[in-house]
Amino acid sequence: MEKSCSLLVHFDKGTPALANEIKEALEGSDVELKIDALKKAIMLLLNNETIPQLFITIIRYVLPSEDHTIQKLLLLYLEIIEKTDSRGKVLPEMILICQNLRNNLQHPNEYIRGVTLRFLCRLNEAEIVEPLIPSILANLEHRHPFVRRNAVLAIMSVYRLPQGEQLLDSAPEIVEKFLSSEQDPSSKRNAFLMLFNCAQDRAVNYLFNHIDRIIDWGEQLQMVVLELIRKVCRANKGEKGKYIKIIISLLNAPSTAVIYECAGTLVSLSSAPTAIRAAANTYSQLLLSQSDNNVKLIVLDRLNELKASHREIMIEMVMDVLRALSSPNPDIRRKTLDIVLDLITPRNVDEVVLTLKKEVMKTQGTEHEKNGEYRQMLVQAIHTCAIKFPEVASTVVHLLMDFLGDTNVASAIDVVVFVREIIETNPKLRVSIITRLLDTFYQIRASRVSSCALWIIGEYCLSLSEVESGITTIKHCLGDLPFFTASEEGDAQDTSKNSQPQTVSATTVSSRRPMILADGTYATQSAALETAMSPPTFVQGSLASVGNLRSLLLAGDFFLGAVIASTLTKLVLRLEEVQPSKVEVNKATTQAVLIMVSMIQLGQSSAIPHPMDNDSHDRIVLCIRLLCNTGDDVRKIWLQSCRESFVKMLADKQLRETEEKKAKAQISNAQPDDLIDFYHLKSRKGMSQLELEDEVQDDLKRATGEFTKDRDDAYKLNRVLQLTGFSDPVYAEAYVTVHHYDIVLDVTVINRTKETLQNLCLELATMGDLKLVERPQNYTLAPESSKQIKANIKVSSTETGVIFGNIVYEASSSVLDRTVIVLNDIHIDIMDYISPASCADVAFRTMWAEFEWENKVAVNTIIQEEKEFLNHIIKSTNMKCLTPISALEGECGFLAANLYAKSVFGEDALVNLSVEKQEDGKLGGYIRIRSKTQGIALSLGDKITLKQKGGA
């Protein structure tokens, strides 16, 4: 489509219509065929086909038709045909349609009148409109509101024509008079809109003359009033006070759309606490009253913006915002929790945590598919509260420990990580947490949760009773030993042949291959050769068995086996310190070594799905050696150094969070010679409390430099791109503004010749996920004059895009020759769309495993230091390093770090950088990029390849 059209008409490209066929159908008497032919004619015109011979046919055979559909299509046809010649003069045959339009404006049917008036709104030719003005004005008094509302719009469009004020100089007075007597809400809205656009003073006068009745006006009119207030207040900030009162009165309007707009207008115009509080209350009410999830998400975005600029007022609204958790939508819940967690203070933390506890208990009671995910969010929120305010930990930690055995593994991991942190930061809770953990340990079903819980048991069981309970709990969860007793193959076969049990010493003969049970789990048959004993079976991998640790080990999880060995070692070493009886210590040591030997034996058996890995084997062997030969140095490493490392990790995390808060809290200060305003010395004559508050807040903003936070000119100059050469007859340059979902090109075109350039057009095309919104129109450029042309481009995903095109024009000396100037390509940088972000290590690993697109870039740089190279990549890619600084300390010739960023479209970008210093002093290694979409992975890879050298 090359031209614009007011209506979308379906067009089948597969069957191109011929002009003769269309002409025959239009001349016929069949109405359906005429409608079809008119649609085809319109589509051909929209696609730049000129059919001049049809015009007279349409005037003769279509114009007299009384069919409403034909009349509507006829007006569309008249809208898109060329009405002027090459010199801009109206074509003489256009006089033929004037009489028809006048007849339509006096037609007895209100629909014909209405659509004709609407058509006149899109006419730009004053010569056609001028003879119709009396008929347009007469329609203001028509009995039907549909006609009156379109008549007002037609008057507005005529008045806004280049010669409109001469054609209809009394239009504002006529419309103002019409507005005072009109009852129809839509007609009143259109009349007020006309005054707003064409005679703003009259609109303002009308507003203040009817200020008491604004609340009773229709929704559409109230929306235009708000638009007027925004426009007037931007132009004249001194009069804000009286308009803010109108907005606050409109907060009681019955329409939710008006209330939402009022709140937004209040926030944009005023910083007075009363106004902001009113806006925040309005948003909170909308959050609870609206059922549409999209509306809730938009309102939460507005509240999030308020939180950034007016935190103190938002703190008062915490409990109102928290009520949005009643929505089942996970996105709404996540946004709500994010907002609330930033607004927690010592005064409201107890209330917030109490609400979160209630929500956690609700997830336990009902079975809902999203319950696990929601519970995980709540656990993370409570974790954050407990870290900020340790005194609340005691009220929640025992409740959350009930969820250690949660079927949602992610939720259970969050609980155990929370418990691990609380037990270190709250020494008073240690005894009760350990006691509760030992009581609930058997409920844990996930390997990773068990590993973390075992670490807690090994580190924080300090008293004799706790250590003994810890060892007993682990033994109970492992079950009876041995896990698996290997025997000679021949013995197994002989035993299987014998039907009678033999009276020999108790040995277990096991089949080499596991069998599959009815429920799909593995099992190994074992025949215990004891008299009157049936052959027992134990289940591999089934979580229904007695010992949760045993079932996980039998499923082949030997990393957990290494953790069990480490925990038992720590507990035995601590038992030596707290148990006076050497006999008991030796007994515990023997039992621990027996368990470890049994795990190694199990790992080497053929009945397990896969053998034990070398790392786990070495770790368990190390623990056995250690228990056989303990020393003071080794004891110190196992019992103290592990805890010290954990404490250091927590301190680093706290330090990072503090630094991030400080960076966010930095605000610009006033200049040395700025004016200082004193609140108590202000004149208060005739000012309401709200106006006074607003003025004080404005002064405060001015003093802290908030009114002058524009980007510097140097930044703007960096965004200007030269599109043509200095020697070209037309010089063009573009200023590129990148918003979230669109790009605005502000192109300056300069005619450097001594002749007029006609039909100058900027033709643009895009590559990648970019789409040109509308084609820029044609212009005529006088000699040595310039023109600003704007082009909007929509962006649909994060990837590098290219905009290319040319400038086409006709010189006045040779109209038939069109000149084409090819423009430089504009490359849209991916860096404009991604920003640094944070995510938990667990979430990073999960996404790394899930994302299917990977781009592997080999390191090729002149930088010779690992950390310097990492900092260079972080700066070049606009990403955040998730690996703590403490983990990057020291010199070992090797560095591995994880980087993370998020795009404006919510896409995740993951980067893993692994480099090592080679023998020649250069850096080698790989940078791996993973994302859900191909665009980010490729674009980010190209960016890193371009920037990693280190020169630029």
Side-chain angles (χ1 to χ4, degrees):
M1 292 249 183
E2 296 292 331
K3 295 181 181 180
S4 60
C5 176
S6 310
L7 190 74
L8 186 65
V9 181
H10 174 68
F11 180 59
D12 185 2
K13 289 184 180 176
T15 54
L18 298 172
N20 290 337
E21 291 175 9
I22 294 172
K23 192 175 176 183
E24 284 175 19
L26 291 174
E27 288 173 356
S29 57
D30 191 322
V31 172
E32 290 300 321
L33 286 176
K34 276 190 178 184
I35 290 170
D36 193 47
L38 258 179
K39 284 184 179 180
K40 288 176 180 175
I42 290 167
M43 290 310 301
L44 287 173
L45 281 168
L46 286 172
N47 286 285
N48 261 5
E49 295 283 340
T50 54
I51 325 171
Q53 67 269 33
L54 278 186
F55 183 76
I56 297 300
T57 306
I58 286 172
I59 294 293
R60 286 180 62 193
Y61 296 102
V62 180
L63 223 59
S65 173
E66 289 292 320
D67 185 81
H68 288 185
T69 307
I70 289 178
Q71 285 297 324
K72 188 170 184 177
L73 289 170
L74 173 64
L75 293 173
L76 281 177
Y77 172 80
L78 295 175
E79 182 188 335
I80 57 176
I81 59 169
E82 290 293 340
K83 302 172 193 69
T84 55
D85 58 18
S86 58
R87 291 171 297 171
K89 293 278 181 76
V90 175
L91 294 169
E93 56 263 34
M94 288 300 122
I95 301 301
L96 295 170
I97 67 168
C98 279
Q99 184 59 43
N100 177 66
L101 292 173
R102 189 186 288 112
N103 292 342
N104 278 0
L105 291 174
Q106 295 165 0
H107 199 279
N109 183 281
E110 62 272 7
Y111 175 76
I112 298 294
R113 286 197 187 206
V115 291
T116 308
L117 286 163
R118 193 180 293 169
F119 162 71
L120 293 177
C121 295
R122 296 187 282 273
L123 269 187
N124 298 320
E125 289 75 27
E127 291 91 333
I128 300 174
V129 173
E130 189 175 5
L132 304 174
I133 288 174
S135 301
I136 295 171
L137 293 173
N139 277 304
L140 282 176
E141 296 171 8
H142 193 271
R143 60 183 174 76
H144 204 284
F146 177 69
V147 176
R148 296 199 300 274
R149 77 176 72 128
N150 283 304
V152 175
L153 290 178
I155 290 169
M156 180 170 75
S157 66
V158 171
Y159 191 75
R160 294 176 78 177
L161 288 174
Q163 303 87 22
E165 291 187 27
Q166 285 82 34
L167 290 174
L168 200 55
D169 56 344
S170 58
E173 295 168 31
I174 293 167
V175 172
E176 189 175 15
K177 188 180 174 184
F178 169 81
L179 181 61
S180 59
S181 59
E182 181 57 45
Q183 296 302 315
D184 177 57
S186 295
S187 304
K188 284 181 80 170
R189 177 257 180 198
N190 289 355
F192 192 82
L193 185 66
M194 188 271 172
L195 294 179
F196 163 51
N197 285 313
C198 306
Q200 193 172 295
D201 293 341
R202 289 178 184 271
V204 171
N205 288 336
Y206 180 81
L207 179 65
F208 282 105
N209 289 338
H210 299 81
I211 197 165
D212 298 332
R213 283 183 283 169
I214 291 175
I215 195 72
D216 301 323
W217 288 355
E219 176 188 337
Q220 296 168 317
L221 184 52
Q222 287 173 342
M223 295 290 264
V224 181
V225 166
L226 288 170
E227 204 174 327
L228 171 71
I229 289 171
R230 280 197 291 268
K231 187 176 178 182
V232 172
C233 290
R234 281 195 203 102
N236 188 358
K237 288 193 169 77
E239 295 184 8
K240 269 198 302 185
K242 55 186 179 184
Y243 289 105
I244 288 171
K245 285 187 213 165
I246 297 173
I247 299 169
I248 286 182
S249 71
L250 278 174
L251 285 173
N252 299 317
S255 164
T256 49
V258 171
I259 293 170
Y260 174 79
E261 280 299 319
C262 282
T265 308
L266 268 181
V267 173
S268 65
L269 295 182
S270 174
S271 300
T274 308
I276 299 301
R277 200 170 280 113
N281 273 318
T282 303
Y283 284 141
S284 299
Q285 287 164 16
L286 287 172
L287 194 59
L288 298 172
S289 63
Q290 295 303 300
S291 57
D292 190 325
N293 287 342
N294 292 318
V295 173
K296 284 180 185 275
L297 287 169
I298 291 166
V299 170
L300 284 169
D301 282 338
R302 300 292 83 79
L303 286 168
N304 202 23
E305 288 165 12
L306 272 186
K307 180 196 74 180
S309 52
H310 303 280
R311 189 171 184 274
E312 291 305 315
I313 290 165
M314 282 301 296
I315 285 170
E316 302 167 18
M317 311 296 300
V318 163
M319 297 312 293
D320 292 324
V321 176
L322 207 51
R323 286 161 69 189
L325 289 177
S326 58
S327 167
N329 185 286
D331 293 327
I332 292 170
R333 286 169 162 173
R334 189 175 289 109
K335 270 194 177 181
T336 304
L337 288 172
D338 288 344
I339 292 169
V340 168
L341 290 177
D342 278 350
L343 298 173
I344 291 174
T345 62
R347 193 178 297 173
N348 63 24
V349 67
D350 291 327
E351 271 188 292
V352 170
V353 169
L354 186 63
T355 307
L356 295 177
K357 276 172 67 178
K358 286 178 183 172
E359 290 296 317
V360 170
M361 285 189 270
K362 281 182 195 172
T363 64
Q364 197 175 13
T366 55
E367 282 303 319
H368 191 270
E369 58 179 12
K370 299 282 184 184
N371 267 359
E373 186 185 347
Y374 181 37
R375 193 181 304 128
Q376 188 184 353
M377 279 190 261
L378 291 168
V379 170
Q380 289 169 350
I382 292 171
H383 186 169
T384 307
C385 296
I387 298 307
K388 283 185 182 175
F389 303 98
E391 62 273 10
V392 302
S394 58
T395 62
V396 292
V397 70
H398 297 300
L399 170 72
L400 293 185
M401 286 178 77
D402 289 338
F403 295 100
L404 284 172
D406 197 345
T407 50
N408 183 313
V409 178
S411 173
I413 288 170
D414 282 333
V415 171
V416 80
V417 168
F418 167 67
V419 171
R420 186 181 67 180
E421 198 163 335
I422 291 303
I423 203 169
E424 174 56 44
T425 54
N426 287 48
K428 292 178 184 175
L429 298 175
R430 282 180 190 170
V431 176
S432 62
I433 289 175
I434 281 292
T435 307
R436 187 66 182 269
L437 181 60
L438 291 172
D439 288 343
T440 56
F441 186 80
Y442 69 92
Q443 297 174 355
I444 298 173
R445 291 285 173 257
S447 173
R448 288 172 66 189
V449 181
S450 299
S451 301
C452 195
L454 284 167
W455 186 88
I456 295 169
I457 291 168
E459 286 295 333
Y460 295 98
C461 285
L462 303 177
S463 68
L464 178 59
S465 61
E466 287 171 355
V467 172
E468 287 177 342
S469 298
I471 294 172
T472 306
T473 301
I474 293 170
K475 281 168 62 183
H476 176 73
C477 290
L478 285 170
D480 296 333
L481 298 179
F483 299 107
F484 189 97
T485 305
S487 170
E488 291 298 321
E489 189 76 25
D491 292 348
Q493 290 171 357
D494 292 342
T495 309
S496 62
K497 288 174 188 175
N498 295 332
S499 57
Q500 298 295 322
Q502 300 173 14
T503 53
V504 292
S505 59
T507 57
T508 306
V509 181
S510 173
S511 62
R512 290 288 178 187
R513 294 172 61 190
M515 65 175 285
I516 301 173
L517 297 179
D519 63 351
T521 56
Y522 287 100
T524 304
Q525 280 190 327
S526 303
L529 304 182
E530 289 184 359
T531 313
M533 288 285 286
S534 60
T537 61
F538 45 76
V539 181
Q540 295 188 26
S542 168
L543 298 184
S545 55
V546 176
N548 52 350
L549 296 181
R550 185 186 190 91
S551 58
L552 290 166
L553 280 174
L554 292 173
D557 188 349
F558 291 109
F559 174 75
L560 180 63
V563 175
I564 293 168
S566 301
T567 305
L568 285 171
T569 305
K570 287 179 187 176
L571 290 172
V572 170
L573 289 174
R574 195 156 277 124
L575 189 67
E576 288 179 10
E577 294 178 354
V578 295
Q579 173 62 269
S581 169
K582 292 288 179 189
V583 176
E584 291 297 323
V585 172
N586 290 340
K587 188 178 175 184
T589 306
T590 309
Q591 287 173 340
V593 171
L594 180 61
I595 289 169
M596 293 176 206
V597 170
S598 298
M599 286 193 290
I600 290 175
Q601 187 185 25
L602 177 68
Q604 292 172 343
S605 73
S606 58
I608 294 298
H610 53 83
M612 183 184 286
D613 58 287
N614 292 333
D615 288 343
S616 300
H617 182 271
D618 293 347
R619 182 79 170 163
I620 296 171
V621 169
L622 176 69
C623 292
I624 294 170
R625 284 180 182 164
L626 184 66
L627 290 178
C628 295
N629 185 18
T630 58
D632 290 341
D633 292 341
V634 172
R635 183 177 276 106
K636 186 180 177 184
I637 291 167
W638 280 73
L639 298 184
Q640 292 178 26
S641 300
C642 292
R643 177 95 62 87
E644 286 167 5
S645 298
F646 179 58
V647 171
K648 191 180 178 187
M649 185 188 91
L650 290 181
D652 282 347
K653 181 183 167 191
Q654 198 74 32
L655 183 68
R656 282 204 311 274
E657 287 173 0
T658 310
E659 283 175 355
E660 281 175 16
K661 278 182 189 171
K662 281 181 183 173
K664 283 181 186 174
Q666 283 179 351
I667 54 169
S668 56
N669 298 315
Q671 295 300 318
D673 53 352
D674 272 3
L675 178 71
I676 297 175
D677 242 316
F678 290 95
Y679 169 68
H680 294 290
L681 302 180
K682 271 194 172 297
S683 167
R684 304 189 182 204
K685 246 180 226 177
M687 290 176 78
S688 67
Q689 180 62 28
L690 180 60
E691 289 173 89
L692 192 65
E693 276 183 28
D694 187 55
E695 204 160 313
V696 170
Q697 288 297 322
D698 281 356
D699 291 339
L700 195 61
K701 277 190 176 180
R702 207 173 286 111
T704 53
E706 266 192 63
F707 279 157
T708 55
K709 275 192 176 176
D710 294 327
R711 299 205 181 196
D712 57 352
D713 294 334
Y715 175 83
K716 289 182 179 177
L717 286 171
N718 287 338
R719 311 290 291 190
V720 174
L721 301 168
Q722 185 180 335
L723 299 180
T724 61
F726 291 117
S727 58
D728 285 321
V730 174
Y731 175 75
E733 64 181 24
Y735 173 56
V736 183
T737 309
V738 178
H739 298 297
H740 278 186
Y741 300 104
D742 61 339
I743 299 164
V744 178
L745 294 183
D746 200 343
V747 184
T748 305
V749 180
I750 303 170
N751 178 5
R752 304 182 67 212
T753 65
K754 299 289 183 185
E755 53 185 14
T756 301
L757 304 181
Q758 294 181 347
N759 291 329
L760 183 140
C761 180
L762 175 68
E763 295 181 343
L764 295 173
T766 58
M767 196 167 70
D769 276 353
L770 304 175
K771 186 181 178 185
L772 193 64
V773 176
E774 58 184 344
R775 187 168 172 264
Q777 64 188 77
N778 292 4
Y779 298 95
T780 299
L781 266 186
E784 296 183 351
S785 65
S786 64
K787 186 77 186 170
Q788 298 272 20
I789 303 172
K790 283 203 172 181
N792 285 315
I793 291 158
K794 286 286 172 196
V795 186
S796 53
S797 76
T798 313
E799 65 175 270
T800 304
V802 182
I803 303 167
F804 54 93
N806 45 50
I807 289 175
V808 183
Y809 63 88
E810 299 166 357
S812 54
S813 56
S814 55
V815 178
L816 297 176
D817 292 336
R818 289 176 71 79
T819 309
V820 178
I821 300 172
V822 179
L823 306 177
N824 284 336
D825 294 348
I826 300 171
H827 291 266
I828 302 304
D829 196 349
I830 187 178
M831 293 304 107
D832 291 319
Y833 294 103
I834 67 171
S835 54
S838 295
C839 80
D841 286 344
V842 176
F844 186 92
R845 288 194 199 100
T846 305
M847 288 189 284
W848 188 267
E850 286 175 358
F851 289 174
E852 55 194 30
W853 289 103
E854 178 175 294
N855 191 359
K856 193 173 182 182
V857 179
V859 171
N860 179 19
T861 180
I862 58 173
I863 299 170
Q864 296 192 340
E865 293 300 321
E866 304 96 316
K867 285 181 194 166
E868 187 187 341
F869 180 66
L870 172 64
N871 292 332
H872 176 68
I873 293 294
I874 290 170
K875 189 178 176 183
S876 304
T877 57
N878 199 23
M879 300 187 87
K880 179 172 181 174
C881 181
L882 298 181
T883 308
I885 299 167
S886 56
L888 301 172
E889 286 175 355
E891 297 292 333
C892 65
F894 175 80
L895 184 145
N898 291 334
L899 313 181
Y900 179 67
K902 214 171 179 68
S903 79
V904 295
F905 303 99
E907 299 161 319
D908 301 287
L910 314 178
V911 170
N912 172 261
L913 180 142
S914 298
V915 289
E916 64 175 341
K917 190 169 273 192
Q918 298 170 336
E919 291 178 5
D920 57 0
K922 291 182 178 177
L923 293 180
Y926 290 97
I927 300 166
R928 292 195 294 163
I929 304 132
R930 283 198 185 182
S931 70
K932 212 170 203 173
T933 55
Q934 184 184 19
I936 288 189
L938 294 178
S939 302
L940 208 51
D942 294 342
K943 186 78 179 176
I944 290 171
T945 306
L946 190 69
K947 293 277 189 179
Q948 68 165 325
K949 285 278 187 186

